[in-house]
Amino acid sequence: MKLLDGKKVSEDIKNEIAAEVQKMKDNGEKVPHLAAVIVGNDGASLTYVGSKVKACERVGFESTLIKMPNTTSETELLKKIKELNEDDTIDGFIVQLPLPKQIDTQEVLMAIDPSKDVDGFHPENFGKMALDMSTFIPATPFGILELLERYGVETQGKHTVVIGRSHIVGRPMSILMGRKGFPGNSTVTLTHSYTKNISQITTQADIIITALGVPNYLKAEMVKDDAVVIDVGITRVADETTEKGYRITGDVDFDLVSKKASFITPVPGGVGPMTIAMLLKNTLLAREQKRLKLK
Ligand code: GUN
């Protein structure tokens, strides 16, 4: 078994990005600027957004964190998005999901200027991704592709089973693994809550990507020998023995599944840090595209 070490690879990527930023500085160019909007005070979301902002500092980007109360109306959030769209100093921004119930997520995502949509969630960018056009690829799927590529994991002709069809991970992942090229050229099965006999499907998978948020869901008997296992789950599970009172648990029963897998991502330290690194990469791309447009 080989660990797909997202912590290490994400550090490599951040070093590469930091070197690019240094070049920009040396040339007297503006450095990339990422803004993140968070509505409400969900602990996990605040932690993720905090990590994104910290990562910006680490690579030399500018960053802006906008915190809005849980009672924010859709109109107020749309007004903030309009401001960010029109603010020339900001190259890209994200609205952290999930949003409070009174806000229609799709309306919000559609209001983001596609050229600043570094999450790749706007329908224009999602459509471009599905058509193999150059665009922002959602950060978590992008991070998984990057891990597969950097470890040289063969995907061509393999059967990839994606568990979970969220717009953020499962759906785009299923499209990307089936597209032409590497990583890709896979035969993809997208499974979800209505899928019957899921073990029959997962035991035929060469590559399993779980994005479910159910701790220890994927058991060893659901995985064939030498499968590649990518765990996107990051659920907080109460644990009094830790300082924070919880620990982060993936969708995969790691201790037993890792004995069968050829490659596997740990949680934490697998897909999570890759998501942040690829958000930075998208922001660098947004800056670069803006610079070319202004030339
Ligand atoms: N919530 C969970 N993952 C993500 C992500 O990649 N982007 C945003 N904006 N919200 C999220």
Side-chain angles (χ1 to χ4, degrees):
M1 179 275 291
K2 197 160 182 200
L3 218 52
L4 295 169
D5 187 345
K7 193 157 185 277
K8 182 194 169 294
V9 174
S10 67
E11 282 305 317
D12 293 345
I13 294 167
K14 282 190 270 186
N15 286 335
E16 291 159 19
I17 294 172
E20 289 292 320
V21 174
Q22 191 54 50
K23 269 193 237 160
M24 290 173 156
K25 282 186 180 161
D26 293 346
N27 292 337
E29 289 170 19
K30 177 189 175 309
V31 300
H33 185 170
L34 174 73
V37 182
I38 176 145
V39 185
N41 39 28
D42 175 68
S45 290
L46 282 165
T47 306
Y48 300 146
V49 171
S51 306
K52 291 172 184 178
V53 169
K54 221 164 92 190
C56 285
E57 285 167 23
R58 150 89 169 73
V59 298
F61 284 7
E62 282 183 52
S63 63
T64 300
L65 177 59
I66 298 153
K67 286 187 184 171
M68 300 179 81
N70 203 37
T71 50
T72 302
S73 68
E74 189 175 307
T75 310
E76 286 166 322
L77 180 56
L78 291 173
K79 187 162 165 268
K80 178 54 72 184
I81 289 173
K82 189 165 182 284
E83 274 173 39
L84 293 169
N85 284 341
E86 289 169 359
D87 185 340
D88 274 341
T89 67
I90 287 169
D91 299 297
F93 67 96
I94 63 158
V95 177
Q96 187 66 24
L97 303 179
L99 289 167
K101 312 191 269 311
Q102 72 274 17
I103 300 175
D104 181 334
T105 301
Q106 208 52 50
E107 285 298 322
V108 168
L109 298 180
M110 286 196 298
I112 298 173
D113 178 341
S115 72
K116 293 190 175 187
D117 170 38
V118 285
D119 256 333
F121 293 166
H122 188 285
E124 180 177 317
N125 288 326
F126 202 93
K128 283 182 169 177
M129 177 201 68
L131 294 168
D132 289 345
M133 294 166 75
S134 158
T135 187
F136 300 116
I137 295 175
T140 302
F142 196 8
I144 294 170
L145 294 183
E146 193 76 17
L147 263 185
L148 294 172
E149 188 176 340
R150 293 202 183 209
Y151 278 90
V153 176
E154 183 61 87
T155 59
Q156 181 159 310
K158 303 292 181 187
H159 182 199
T160 295
V161 173
V162 179
I163 308 178
R165 57 180 161 181
S166 74
H167 294 173
I168 297 179
V169 187
R171 187 77 57 83
M173 203 66 237
S174 67
I175 295 168
L176 292 162
M177 290 301 282
R179 72 180 183 170
K180 278 190 183 159
F182 172 69
N185 290 341
S186 230
T187 304
V188 181
T189 303
L190 178 59
T191 67
H192 46 75
S193 49
Y194 287 91
T195 301
K196 291 184 181 142
N197 302 325
I198 193 151
S199 291
Q200 267 181 27
I201 299 169
T202 55
T203 47
Q204 290 176 36
D206 301 305
I207 301 168
I208 303 178
I209 301 170
T210 63
L212 210 57
V214 178
N216 298 317
Y217 169 83
L218 193 81
K219 306 285 186 211
E221 55 272 23
M222 297 170 76
V223 178
K224 77 172 180 184
D225 282 335
D226 292 330
V228 176
V229 180
I230 310 285
D231 188 350
V232 187
I234 32 167
T235 307
R236 288 183 174 192
V237 174
D239 184 348
E240 296 308 324
T241 65
T242 66
E243 199 182 312
K244 289 178 177 159
Y246 66 85
R247 67 191 146 78
I248 302 294
T249 307
D251 290 347
V252 177
D253 186 0
F254 185 88
D255 290 346
L256 295 176
V257 172
S258 60
K259 292 198 166 80
K260 290 177 102 174
S262 56
F263 290 93
I264 189 166
T265 58
V267 175
V271 176
M274 290 301 293
T275 297
I276 294 177
M278 302 322 275
L279 175 66
L280 298 177
K281 201 147 182 173
N282 277 343
T283 307
L284 185 67
L285 185 69
R287 175 70 222 137
E288 188 58 15
Q289 284 175 348
K290 202 155 150 211
R291 189 178 68 82
L292 292 173
K293 229 196 278 177
L294 293 174
K295 249 187 178 175

